[in-house]
Amino acid sequence: MQLHSSPLSSAWFIFLTGFLLSVLYVALKLLVDAGAYFFDFDAIVALPFLPAGVRVLGFLLIGLWISPFLYLAFIFMSLTGLMIYPGLGMSDQLILGVSVAIGGPVALCLLTKATKISVDLLDLTPLKVLIFASTCAAGNALFYNAGLMAAGFGSPEINFTALIFVGDILGVAIFFGLLYAGAALLKFWLRSARAPKQDASLFNSLKKFS
């Protein structure tokens, strides 16, 4: 579905969408960290990585252009101390950030090229969300491991990689579940707000014939 006809409007759409999603990415990362800290259930609360949903949504909206904005969010969190990797210097951490920013979107790009699966949000189904979530999670886990090795770490344990993969899938599922619920509530509210006006219009029409 073509939303914008001119290159300028498309550029503004990409910029504004990417920027807002990068802010959302940071906010969800803080939410995940806060939940793990306050409830003291690190392995359980932190497992569903909600920002993974931003990667998928961003790709569905602006394609691979989401990657620079994901990296912008990573840089912001690194420079402000919101995201710290023990044992990594700032330069190595920023190298890791490149892997985190491109892994999921690149995997989704390869998926859409190979299968011609629709990325239209209006055509989104739970099965497609699962496919996108699994693909993005696999790409992120693979590139994350590559980023750690590029930063001087050895290959992570299989258990750690599996946690990243499962956490991303759960995060995407919860993220889109909340989007679906929010859209349903908004639709219900708009329908409820419109109903009294329709009733009043019907009453006035009947009154004319009485």
Side-chain angles (χ1 to χ4, degrees):
M1 181 171 57
Q2 189 70 25
L3 297 177
H4 304 277
S5 56
S6 70
L8 181 60
S9 61
S10 296
W12 272 109
F13 177 76
I14 289 172
F15 177 79
L16 291 176
T17 302
F19 178 77
L20 291 175
L21 288 177
S22 68
V23 173
L24 180 59
Y25 189 95
V26 173
L28 291 177
K29 178 63 169 63
L30 293 176
L31 180 63
V32 170
D33 291 345
Y37 176 79
F38 286 108
F39 292 100
D40 197 25
F41 289 113
D42 297 317
I44 298 176
V45 176
L47 183 59
F49 191 67
L50 294 178
V54 177
R55 298 181 191 136
V56 174
L57 178 61
F59 179 82
L60 297 180
L61 290 173
I62 59 177
L64 287 175
W65 283 108
I66 189 59
S67 290
F69 294 98
L70 293 176
Y71 190 56
L72 177 66
F74 191 94
I75 292 176
F76 173 79
M77 290 187 290
S78 297
L79 295 180
T80 57
L82 297 176
M83 180 180 290
I84 298 296
Y85 287 85
L88 282 183
M90 183 57 64
S91 59
D92 290 332
Q93 183 163 319
L94 294 180
I95 291 175
L96 177 61
V98 175
S99 300
V100 173
I102 68 175
V106 166
L108 289 172
C109 181
L110 294 175
L111 171 72
T112 56
K113 295 295 184 183
T115 65
K116 304 300 182 182
I117 187 172
S118 173
V119 296
D120 193 333
L121 288 175
L122 298 179
D123 192 36
L124 202 59
T125 63
L127 178 59
K128 286 185 178 180
V129 170
L130 179 60
I131 294 173
F132 289 140
S134 301
T135 302
C136 188
N140 181 58
L142 179 64
F143 275 74
Y144 186 82
N145 288 351
L148 286 178
M149 288 186 286
F153 282 81
S155 180
E157 297 180 359
I158 295 180
N159 290 341
F160 181 71
T161 303
L163 283 177
I164 294 176
F165 179 74
V166 174
D168 280 3
I169 292 178
L170 291 177
V172 173
I174 294 173
F175 180 85
F176 276 89
L178 292 174
L179 285 183
Y180 275 122
L185 288 174
L186 179 60
K187 185 177 180 180
F188 175 78
W189 179 80
L190 291 175
R191 184 178 300 172
S192 300
R194 195 182 303 121
K197 296 180 180 180
Q198 293 176 342
D199 293 341
S201 177
L202 178 61
F203 176 78
N204 291 333
S205 298
L206 293 174
K207 190 175 179 180
K208 291 180 181 180
F209 294 97
S210 60

